[in-house]
Amino acid sequence: EMERSLADLMPGFHWVIETLERLVTTERDIVEPVRLLDEAEIDRHQRGWDFVFVVTTREMRGRERQRLLGVTAGLFASALVSTAFLGDAAHEQRPLAPRLHALSMHLFGRLNGLAPEVTPTWMRRVERPDDLDATDGYAPSAVDALSLRMEEVADLRVEETQEAGKGWLGFYARSLWQNRGALPIVISRMRPWNFPLRLHRLTTAAGSALAVLVMTAESWEVAANLSASTITVLSVAAIVGTSGYLIRAQRLLASRQGPLREQRAVSNAGTVAAVLMGLAVTYAGIFTVASVFAAALFSNDLIATWTGVSDAAAVSVRVRLAALAACVSVVIGALGAAFEPYGYFRHVTQIDDEI
């Protein structure tokens, strides 16, 4: 039904939907969406699919909602659908297919940049399963936007060109250049500016380290003896190093096994860029807080007593202390983030919407 609907709405494209069935050992436990996302990514990579939809009867664990109907992961062009709460308890004989179809079309729209609306179309805001009833079609403007997006999706991929076999570094460079317009969208889907707010253990660990460093005289002495160039090198090293550690510890990058794919190159590059930006935002936030504390709580006389610098140099010492505290706090914060429960870090960074 989904294939027919897409073909009717956008007849300029040849639509092919393949299906795979996977048996599970149990259907009663709650499944982490990222586990299903891993399986979807393997199939997408091996088969060269443009999109993947996973439909399961199991309940999915939500971070923002208790009952999940579906989630989108634009980073992997994938959507996950759970039928656990999709049915109607008051009308058990009512077919599930219409709601499943409507929800799938809604998720397809979200994956391709459409926003939920207060309309009777498939893009109607979904708060409860019955919101899917009596919805049909996309608005004309939505069809136009989807058509433009599908033209980009249908373009020849890098692995399908004659330039594909010239090393992985060149392949990545060509993939990123060809998708230079899509890469910022991939990064924004991960919302790196929200890392300090959404990754609670990272923020808690970083905040604890900041409080200790700012209130310790030895920290001020160390900061007073560091040059601006040393502080800069330490700051860059802290952001890059902690980003690499988190990417590895949380297994955020897809494996390089199998053939090189443009889709995977873009998702991996977007992940690295988003984590770097997220840690840079965290660093900037800690630096700002440390600067405020240093200016509000520590007088020039106190700083001179601790460090032996003149009153004129006290302002410079405050800046260096804030930067040093930010460096150490980001590192401690990354260690805290590495202990997030399984799937939480990836859910926060790789799942776009819970529905």
Short mmCIF file of all heavy atoms in Angstrom, two decimals, residues 306-341:
data_model
loop_
_atom_site.label_atom_id
_atom_site.label_comp_id
_atom_site.label_asym_id
_atom_site.label_seq_id
_atom_site.Cartn_x
_atom_site.Cartn_y
_atom_site.Cartn_z
N TRP A 306 47.08 34.38 45.82
CA TRP A 306 47.25 32.98 45.41
C TRP A 306 48.34 32.80 44.35
O TRP A 306 49.04 31.80 44.35
CB TRP A 306 45.93 32.44 44.87
CG TRP A 306 44.95 32.05 45.94
CD1 TRP A 306 45.17 32.04 47.29
CD2 TRP A 306 43.61 31.61 45.75
NE1 TRP A 306 44.05 31.62 47.96
CE2 TRP A 306 43.06 31.34 47.04
CE3 TRP A 306 42.80 31.42 44.63
CZ2 TRP A 306 41.77 30.89 47.22
CZ3 TRP A 306 41.51 30.96 44.82
CH2 TRP A 306 40.99 30.70 46.10
N THR A 307 48.43 33.76 43.44
CA THR A 307 49.29 33.57 42.27
C THR A 307 50.51 34.49 42.23
O THR A 307 51.45 34.23 41.48
CB THR A 307 48.48 33.78 40.98
OG1 THR A 307 48.01 35.14 40.92
CG2 THR A 307 47.29 32.84 40.92
N GLY A 308 50.46 35.59 42.98
CA GLY A 308 51.57 36.53 42.97
C GLY A 308 51.59 37.47 41.79
O GLY A 308 52.58 38.18 41.58
N VAL A 309 50.51 37.57 41.01
CA VAL A 309 50.46 38.46 39.86
C VAL A 309 49.96 39.83 40.30
O VAL A 309 49.38 39.99 41.38
CB VAL A 309 49.55 37.90 38.75
CG1 VAL A 309 50.03 36.54 38.28
CG2 VAL A 309 48.10 37.82 39.22
N SER A 310 50.17 40.82 39.46
CA SER A 310 49.69 42.17 39.75
C SER A 310 48.20 42.28 39.50
O SER A 310 47.59 41.41 38.86
CB SER A 310 50.43 43.18 38.89
OG SER A 310 50.15 42.95 37.52
N ASP A 311 47.60 43.36 39.99
CA ASP A 311 46.17 43.59 39.76
C ASP A 311 45.85 43.67 38.28
O ASP A 311 44.79 43.22 37.83
CB ASP A 311 45.74 44.89 40.45
CG ASP A 311 45.67 44.73 41.96
OD1 ASP A 311 45.83 43.59 42.44
OD2 ASP A 311 45.46 45.75 42.65
N ALA A 312 46.76 44.26 37.50
CA ALA A 312 46.52 44.41 36.06
C ALA A 312 46.46 43.06 35.34
O ALA A 312 45.76 42.91 34.34
CB ALA A 312 47.61 45.28 35.43
N ALA A 313 47.19 42.08 35.88
CA ALA A 313 47.22 40.76 35.24
C ALA A 313 46.11 39.85 35.72
O ALA A 313 45.95 38.73 35.22
CB ALA A 313 48.57 40.11 35.47
N ALA A 314 45.33 40.31 36.69
CA ALA A 314 44.29 39.44 37.27
C ALA A 314 43.23 39.05 36.25
O ALA A 314 42.73 37.93 36.26
CB ALA A 314 43.64 40.15 38.46
N VAL A 315 42.88 39.99 35.36
CA VAL A 315 41.86 39.69 34.34
C VAL A 315 42.34 38.55 33.44
O VAL A 315 41.59 37.61 33.12
CB VAL A 315 41.55 40.94 33.50
CG1 VAL A 315 40.62 40.58 32.35
CG2 VAL A 315 40.94 42.01 34.38
N SER A 316 43.61 38.62 33.03
CA SER A 316 44.17 37.57 32.18
C SER A 316 44.18 36.21 32.89
O SER A 316 43.88 35.17 32.28
CB SER A 316 45.60 37.94 31.76
OG SER A 316 46.21 36.88 31.05
N VAL A 317 44.48 36.23 34.18
CA VAL A 317 44.50 34.99 34.94
C VAL A 317 43.10 34.39 35.03
O VAL A 317 42.93 33.16 34.94
CB VAL A 317 45.09 35.23 36.35
CG1 VAL A 317 44.95 33.97 37.21
CG2 VAL A 317 46.54 35.64 36.26
N ARG A 318 42.09 35.23 35.19
CA ARG A 318 40.71 34.72 35.23
C ARG A 318 40.36 34.00 33.93
O ARG A 318 39.74 32.93 33.95
CB ARG A 318 39.73 35.88 35.47
CG ARG A 318 39.75 36.44 36.88
CD ARG A 318 38.59 37.41 37.06
NE ARG A 318 38.56 37.98 38.41
CZ ARG A 318 39.12 39.15 38.73
NH1 ARG A 318 39.74 39.87 37.80
NH2 ARG A 318 39.06 39.59 39.97
N VAL A 319 40.74 34.57 32.80
CA VAL A 319 40.45 33.95 31.50
C VAL A 319 41.17 32.62 31.37
O VAL A 319 40.60 31.62 30.94
CB VAL A 319 40.84 34.90 30.35
CG1 VAL A 319 40.69 34.20 29.00
CG2 VAL A 319 40.00 36.17 30.38
N ARG A 320 42.44 32.60 31.78
CA ARG A 320 43.20 31.36 31.68
C ARG A 320 42.67 30.29 32.63
O ARG A 320 42.63 29.09 32.28
CB ARG A 320 44.68 31.63 31.95
CG ARG A 320 45.42 32.21 30.74
CD ARG A 320 46.86 32.51 31.05
NE ARG A 320 46.99 33.81 31.72
CZ ARG A 320 48.13 34.30 32.16
NH1 ARG A 320 49.25 33.58 32.05
NH2 ARG A 320 48.18 35.49 32.74
N LEU A 321 42.24 30.70 33.81
CA LEU A 321 41.64 29.75 34.74
C LEU A 321 40.35 29.17 34.18
O LEU A 321 40.10 27.96 34.27
CB LEU A 321 41.39 30.44 36.09
CG LEU A 321 40.81 29.63 37.28
CD1 LEU A 321 39.31 29.46 37.19
CD2 LEU A 321 41.49 28.28 37.40
N ALA A 322 39.54 30.03 33.58
CA ALA A 322 38.28 29.55 32.99
C ALA A 322 38.55 28.55 31.88
O ALA A 322 37.87 27.53 31.76
CB ALA A 322 37.47 30.74 32.46
N ALA A 323 39.56 28.83 31.05
CA ALA A 323 39.90 27.92 29.96
C ALA A 323 40.45 26.60 30.49
O ALA A 323 40.11 25.51 29.99
CB ALA A 323 40.91 28.58 29.02
N LEU A 324 41.32 26.67 31.50
CA LEU A 324 41.87 25.45 32.09
C LEU A 324 40.77 24.61 32.73
O LEU A 324 40.73 23.39 32.57
CB LEU A 324 42.93 25.81 33.13
CG LEU A 324 43.57 24.64 33.89
CD1 LEU A 324 44.32 23.74 32.93
CD2 LEU A 324 44.48 25.14 35.00
N ALA A 325 39.87 25.27 33.44
CA ALA A 325 38.75 24.55 34.06
C ALA A 325 37.86 23.90 33.01
O ALA A 325 37.39 22.77 33.19
CB ALA A 325 37.93 25.50 34.92
N ALA A 326 37.65 24.60 31.89
CA ALA A 326 36.83 24.04 30.82
C ALA A 326 37.50 22.81 30.21
O ALA A 326 36.82 21.81 29.92
CB ALA A 326 36.58 25.10 29.75
N CYS A 327 38.82 22.87 30.02
CA CYS A 327 39.55 21.72 29.46
C CYS A 327 39.38 20.48 30.33
O CYS A 327 39.00 19.40 29.86
CB CYS A 327 41.04 22.04 29.33
SG CYS A 327 41.44 23.26 28.08
N VAL A 328 39.68 20.64 31.61
CA VAL A 328 39.61 19.49 32.53
C VAL A 328 38.17 19.02 32.71
O VAL A 328 37.90 17.81 32.74
CB VAL A 328 40.24 19.86 33.88
CG1 VAL A 328 40.14 18.69 34.85
CG2 VAL A 328 41.70 20.28 33.70
N SER A 329 37.24 19.95 32.79
CA SER A 329 35.83 19.58 33.00
C SER A 329 35.26 18.83 31.82
O SER A 329 34.46 17.89 31.99
CB SER A 329 35.01 20.83 33.29
OG SER A 329 35.43 21.47 34.47
N VAL A 330 35.65 19.21 30.60
CA VAL A 330 35.18 18.49 29.41
C VAL A 330 35.69 17.05 29.43
O VAL A 330 34.95 16.12 29.10
CB VAL A 330 35.63 19.22 28.13
CG1 VAL A 330 35.54 18.30 26.93
CG2 VAL A 330 34.78 20.45 27.90
N VAL A 331 36.94 16.87 29.82
CA VAL A 331 37.49 15.51 29.89
C VAL A 331 36.75 14.69 30.94
O VAL A 331 36.36 13.54 30.68
CB VAL A 331 39.00 15.57 30.22
CG1 VAL A 331 39.55 14.17 30.46
CG2 VAL A 331 39.76 16.24 29.08
N ILE A 332 36.55 15.26 32.13
CA ILE A 332 35.82 14.54 33.18
C ILE A 332 34.38 14.29 32.75
O ILE A 332 33.81 13.22 33.00
CB ILE A 332 35.85 15.34 34.49
CG1 ILE A 332 37.29 15.55 34.96
CG2 ILE A 332 35.05 14.63 35.57
CD1 ILE A 332 38.06 14.27 35.22
N GLY A 333 33.78 15.27 32.08
CA GLY A 333 32.42 15.10 31.59
C GLY A 333 32.30 13.97 30.59
O GLY A 333 31.32 13.21 30.59
N ALA A 334 33.28 13.84 29.71
CA ALA A 334 33.26 12.75 28.73
C ALA A 334 33.34 11.39 29.41
O ALA A 334 32.69 10.43 28.98
CB ALA A 334 34.42 12.91 27.75
N LEU A 335 34.13 11.30 30.47
CA LEU A 335 34.18 10.05 31.23
C LEU A 335 32.82 9.73 31.84
O LEU A 335 32.39 8.58 31.87
CB LEU A 335 35.24 10.15 32.33
CG LEU A 335 36.69 10.28 31.86
CD1 LEU A 335 37.62 10.50 33.04
CD2 LEU A 335 37.12 9.04 31.08
N GLY A 336 32.13 10.77 32.32
CA GLY A 336 30.79 10.56 32.85
C GLY A 336 29.81 10.12 31.78
O GLY A 336 28.99 9.22 32.00
N ALA A 337 29.90 10.73 30.60
CA ALA A 337 29.00 10.37 29.50
C ALA A 337 29.23 8.94 29.03
O ALA A 337 28.30 8.28 28.55
CB ALA A 337 29.19 11.33 28.33
N ALA A 338 30.46 8.45 29.16
CA ALA A 338 30.76 7.08 28.74
C ALA A 338 30.03 6.05 29.59
O ALA A 338 29.87 4.90 29.18
CB ALA A 338 32.27 6.83 28.79
N PHE A 339 29.57 6.46 30.79
CA PHE A 339 28.86 5.54 31.67
C PHE A 339 27.34 5.67 31.56
O PHE A 339 26.61 5.14 32.41
CB PHE A 339 29.29 5.76 33.12
CG PHE A 339 30.68 5.29 33.41
CD1 PHE A 339 31.74 6.19 33.42
CD2 PHE A 339 30.95 3.95 33.64
CE1 PHE A 339 33.04 5.76 33.66
CE2 PHE A 339 32.24 3.51 33.89
CZ PHE A 339 33.29 4.42 33.90
N GLU A 340 26.86 6.37 30.55
CA GLU A 340 25.42 6.41 30.32
C GLU A 340 24.91 5.00 30.05
O GLU A 340 25.63 4.17 29.48
CB GLU A 340 25.10 7.30 29.12
CG GLU A 340 25.40 8.79 29.31
CD GLU A 340 24.37 9.49 30.16
OE1 GLU A 340 23.47 8.81 30.68
OE2 GLU A 340 24.49 10.72 30.32
N PRO A 341 23.68 4.67 30.45
CA PRO A 341 23.14 3.34 30.19
C PRO A 341 23.18 3.00 28.71
O PRO A 341 23.16 3.88 27.84
CB PRO A 341 21.69 3.44 30.69
CG PRO A 341 21.69 4.59 31.64
CD PRO A 341 22.73 5.55 31.14
#
